[in-house]
């Protein structure tokens, strides 16, 4: 069966035609729900999966390596990207992705996009349009073609707006400017390809809240974004609970194991192998004696351990 060939008009309609106001979704809501159909929970008005604030908060504490293993075991092999420059090494980003795709500018396409945007009430250059759609807890994730010179998607003015709206940072396959100003925004962080003094030029946004590529990773709107010093992992919304719970459990196991090794009660071979019933019982006693180490409800942990093969 031949697929239909989409005209430029059709493409622009799919990308921007469903926008009625500056805060509407950029692709039809039904399409976004289709793309993220594995998610069965609550959604934002724009159609993005709404991962709970509690899971986002807990995700901030997990290790990327453990999240990566869980995703890889489930067949999600293209969710991590490294090789970033960062504003603050010690500021973790965790939140729900709002995505944007940029393309090289072409006069006819850019004119059509900007004309339509003006009719829909959009203000300013197209790189500000995704920012207008951000809400608390979002992470602005943009495919900026890896462009450095004249690929600066934001400076410190737009960064302040982003942080005021989201309380979060950005992940750009592109560059940013005004590093000194960015570094003075408490709690803000940016994972980018580089810093450059130039202004954005010859780039136009061609998609908002659409699937994008960030290096070797694929990102869907509503994915959990977890960005730490070693890189950025994008967790599909429907996988977040499993990833967070598993990572938290592994962290608990590791804390217990390290204490046992320091005390000389068990050998490395015993800790790193399939646990015996004695070792499992000691772990359960350790949990009882160290309730403050448990990041989730104890009932949630007990339910998780019923399914765990250890």
């Amino acid at each position: 069966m031949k697929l239909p060939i989409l005209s430029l008009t059709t493409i622009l309609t799919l990308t921007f035609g469903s926008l009625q106001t500056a805060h509407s979704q950029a692709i039809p809501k039904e399409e976004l729900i289709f793309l993220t159909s594995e998610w069965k929970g609550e959604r934002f008005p724009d159609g993005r999966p709404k991962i709970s604030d509690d899971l986002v908060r807990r995700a901030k504490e997990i290790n990327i390596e453990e999240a990566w293993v869980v995703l890889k075991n489930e067949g999600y092999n293209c969710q991590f990207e490294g090789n970033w420059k960062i504003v603050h090494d010690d500021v973790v980003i965790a939140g729900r992705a709002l995505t944007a795709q940029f393309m090289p500018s072409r006069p006819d396409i850019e004119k059509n996009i900007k004309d339509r945007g003006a009719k829909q009430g959009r203000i300013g250059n197209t790189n500000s349009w995704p920012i207008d759609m951000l809400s608390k807890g979002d992470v602005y994730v943009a495919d900026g073609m890896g462009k450095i010179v004249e690929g600066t998607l934001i400076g410190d003015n737009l960064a302040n707006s982003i942080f005021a709206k989201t309380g979060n940072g950005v992940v750009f396959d592109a560059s940013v400017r005004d590093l000194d100003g960015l570094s003075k925004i408490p709690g803000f962080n940016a994972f980018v390809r580089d810093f450059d003094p130039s202004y954005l030029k010859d780039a136009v946004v061609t998609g908002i809240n659409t699937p994008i590529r960030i290096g070797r990773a694929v990102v869907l709107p509503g994915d959990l974004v977890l960005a730490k010093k070693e890189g950025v992992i994008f967790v599909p919304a429907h996988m977040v609970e499993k990833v967070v719970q598993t990572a938290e459990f592994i962290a608990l196991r590791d804390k217990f194991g390290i204490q046992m090794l320091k005390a000389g009660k068990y050998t490395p071979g015993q800790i790193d192998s399939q646990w015996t019933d004695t070792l499992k019982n000691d772990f359960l006693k350790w949990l009882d004696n160290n309730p403050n180490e448990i990041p989730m409800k104890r009932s949630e942990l007990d339910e998780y351990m019923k399914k765990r093969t250890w």
Side-chain angles (χ1 to χ4, degrees):
M1 181 180 71
K2 291 185 177 180
L3 295 175
I5 297 174
L6 300 180
S7 67
L8 174 60
T9 302
T10 304
I11 292 170
L12 289 174
T13 300
L14 284 172
T15 308
F16 295 101
S18 63
L19 286 164
Q20 301 302 319
T21 69
H23 298 284
S24 301
Q25 71 276 8
I27 61 173
K29 183 176 180 178
E30 295 75 15
E31 181 70 7
L32 184 48
I33 292 173
F34 168 75
L35 291 170
T36 57
S37 58
E38 293 296 319
W39 171 259
K40 307 303 181 185
E42 186 180 357
R43 291 180 180 269
F44 286 100
D46 61 15
R48 287 183 299 148
K50 189 174 183 180
I51 302 163
S52 72
D53 291 339
D54 179 61
L55 282 175
V56 172
R57 176 189 59 78
R58 287 160 57 185
K60 210 166 188 176
E61 305 300 322
I62 69 174
N63 291 330
I64 282 181
E65 291 81 2
E66 290 157 3
W68 180 86
V69 168
V70 179
L71 291 176
K72 187 170 181 62
N73 288 342
E74 295 289 333
Y76 292 85
N77 301 319
C78 305
Q79 301 306 132
F80 176 81
E81 174 67 359
N83 300 312
W84 300 98
K85 290 196 175 180
I86 313 171
V87 174
H88 296 292
D89 283 349
D90 58 346
V91 176
V92 176
I93 295 177
R96 312 170 189 92
L98 185 143
T99 63
Q101 181 185 57
F102 287 80
M103 298 279 281
S105 182
R106 193 175 112 169
D108 54 344
I109 296 177
E110 183 162 352
K111 178 182 181 301
N112 287 339
I113 289 174
K114 287 183 174 178
D115 285 350
R116 178 167 288 174
K119 292 176 183 177
Q120 295 159 351
R122 292 190 177 274
I123 301 171
N125 198 13
T126 60
N127 66 312
S128 69
W129 295 0
I131 297 172
D132 292 335
M133 298 173 64
L134 292 167
S135 58
K136 208 67 178 175
D138 285 344
V139 178
Y140 178 18
V141 184
D143 174 6
M145 309 168 288
K147 189 177 181 182
I148 307 300
V149 178
E150 298 178 342
T152 51
L153 295 186
I154 63 169
D156 55 358
N157 285 339
L158 291 182
N160 272 287
S161 176
I162 290 168
F163 189 71
K165 288 174 176 289
T166 67
N168 244 327
V170 301
V171 176
F172 292 161
D173 190 1
S175 60
V176 296
R177 63 193 312 272
D178 300 324
L179 175 57
D180 186 57
L182 297 180
S183 65
K184 293 176 181 176
I185 306 173
F188 176 82
N189 209 353
F191 284 66
V192 299
R193 295 311 185 189
D194 212 336
F195 305 100
D196 199 83
S198 60
Y199 292 101
L200 183 66
K201 185 180 178 183
D202 296 329
V204 61
V205 68
T206 53
I208 303 174
N209 268 346
T210 187
I212 60 172
R213 181 181 74 111
I214 298 294
R216 55 188 161 126
V218 60
V219 190
L220 264 63
D223 281 357
L224 172 73
V225 183
L226 180 60
K228 295 190 170 188
K229 283 189 292 186
E230 58 264 60
V232 185
I233 195 161
F234 305 97
V235 182
H238 67 281
M239 288 293 299
V240 171
E241 185 172 13
K242 182 171 186 175
V243 165
V244 170
Q245 285 183 345
T246 303
E248 288 174 339
F249 179 77
I250 292 171
L252 281 173
R253 273 185 46 129
D254 288 347
K255 285 181 181 179
F256 165 77
I258 289 170
Q259 286 191 20
M260 295 302 102
L261 290 171
K262 286 181 176 179
K265 187 169 183 178
Y266 291 101
T267 67
Q270 290 173 308
I271 293 293
D272 289 338
S273 302
Q274 185 74 17
W275 281 9
T276 63
D277 289 339
T278 301
L279 211 164
K280 291 178 189 176
N281 288 331
D282 282 345
F283 176 60
L284 293 174
K285 291 176 185 175
W286 180 84
L287 291 174
D288 290 336
N289 293 329
N290 296 274
N292 292 334
E293 298 285 354
I294 303 174
M296 72 280 273
K297 294 177 181 177
R298 180 59 192 262
S299 59
E300 185 180 345
L301 175 61
D302 291 340
E303 189 62 30
Y304 174 83
M305 288 192 294
K306 290 178 184 178
K307 308 170 189 174
R308 179 79 187 183
T309 58
W310 299 79

